[in-house]
Amino acid sequence: MEFWRTILGLARRKRVGLPLVGLALLGAAAVFFLVPPRYLASTSMVLTTPPAGGTTDPAKPLGRSNPLLQFSDGLRTTAGILILSMNTEAVAAELGVVKDGPIELTINDGRTNPGMLGILMNGPFVYVEVRSDSADLSRAVMARTQSRLRAELIRRQETLGAPVSTFIGLVEVVPPAYPVMDRSGTWKAMGGTAFLVVVLGLGAAYAVERRRVFRHSSSGGGRPEEPSPATVEIPADRDGGADRDDRDDQGEPGEPDERGEEPESGEEPESGEGCEGREEQTV
């Protein structure tokens, strides 16, 4: 608890809090200009059955059919096969996408698109998303990806020996528009930089404060210790105490001091020798 009190106290100081805020804003501004924006291109496609259906002649019992149309889930299984085949390193390299490179390619059934969450379970969708540092590059990768999807779908149907009249089609539901600028990554980098500057600044200020307190206490300049009740001296009264001290120094009149001598006094002693002396003088 003491640590957080110290941190809060340091943040409230003008010579600590204001410079940290200024450095955080400068760091965030530098990140805004240094981190380039990303350009997003996306499209949504759906698989469709041919107009003639899944067989060449439905009236004939031995008519040829498309094996990809014989699944119980319809075209959703075919869409899943197509998505899995496109999410391989070989296909990504063919499209110009390398690992940890400037291009990010996403191919799925639309689960990463918030606008498709409500209809995700109702159709065999294929969602494609491309992010890169250039708008033209995003458009080029998007075009290559769509062509590769259609070619992969045709190749698999030909491999299975499906009649051409029963081929499944791939239709664009939302055609790819011009890539839009996406600064979400830039904002995240700006926030992280500002937070890091504040944390490091407060940590440095705390270290300096603790070092100053340690030096002050080690040099003997710390807070003096309070005396214990047994060693507390009660001061005497101003008037009565002073009179008692004077009487103690001078001694009581008429009483011998430590050397056995009587104190000087203006009054004559009332002893026996004194009385006899006065009587003799009178006679």
Side-chain angles (χ1 to χ4, degrees), residues 106-235:
T106 302
I107 303 175
N108 55 33
D109 57 353
R111 64 187 61 193
T112 58
N113 184 8
M116 297 181 61
L117 294 179
I119 59 175
L120 183 61
M121 303 299 295
N122 296 328
F125 294 101
V126 178
Y127 176 74
V128 181
E129 181 180 285
V130 181
R131 294 176 184 266
S132 69
D133 298 337
S134 171
D136 296 335
L137 183 59
S138 296
R139 293 182 64 183
V141 174
M142 175 61 71
R144 290 199 297 266
T145 303
Q146 286 184 293
S147 299
R148 185 68 173 77
L149 278 168
R150 291 187 172 92
E152 180 69 18
L153 180 60
I154 293 173
R155 185 185 69 82
R156 287 189 173 272
Q157 293 180 98
E158 290 177 348
T159 302
L160 294 173
V164 178
S165 60
T166 62
F167 275 13
I168 300 171
L170 191 60
V171 180
E172 294 178 350
V173 178
V174 180
Y178 190 82
V180 296
M181 183 182 297
D182 181 21
R183 284 196 175 272
S184 59
T186 304
W187 295 118
K188 292 179 182 178
M190 291 173 62
T193 302
F195 178 77
L196 184 62
V197 169
V198 172
V199 170
L200 292 180
L202 288 177
Y206 180 79
V208 172
E209 180 70 13
R210 297 302 299 174
R211 186 177 181 183
R212 184 186 65 81
V213 172
F214 177 76
R215 285 184 175 181
H216 186 67
S217 59
S218 61
S219 61
R223 182 180 298 178
E225 297 181 358
E226 296 181 358
S228 60
T231 60
V232 174
E233 296 181 358
I234 302 176

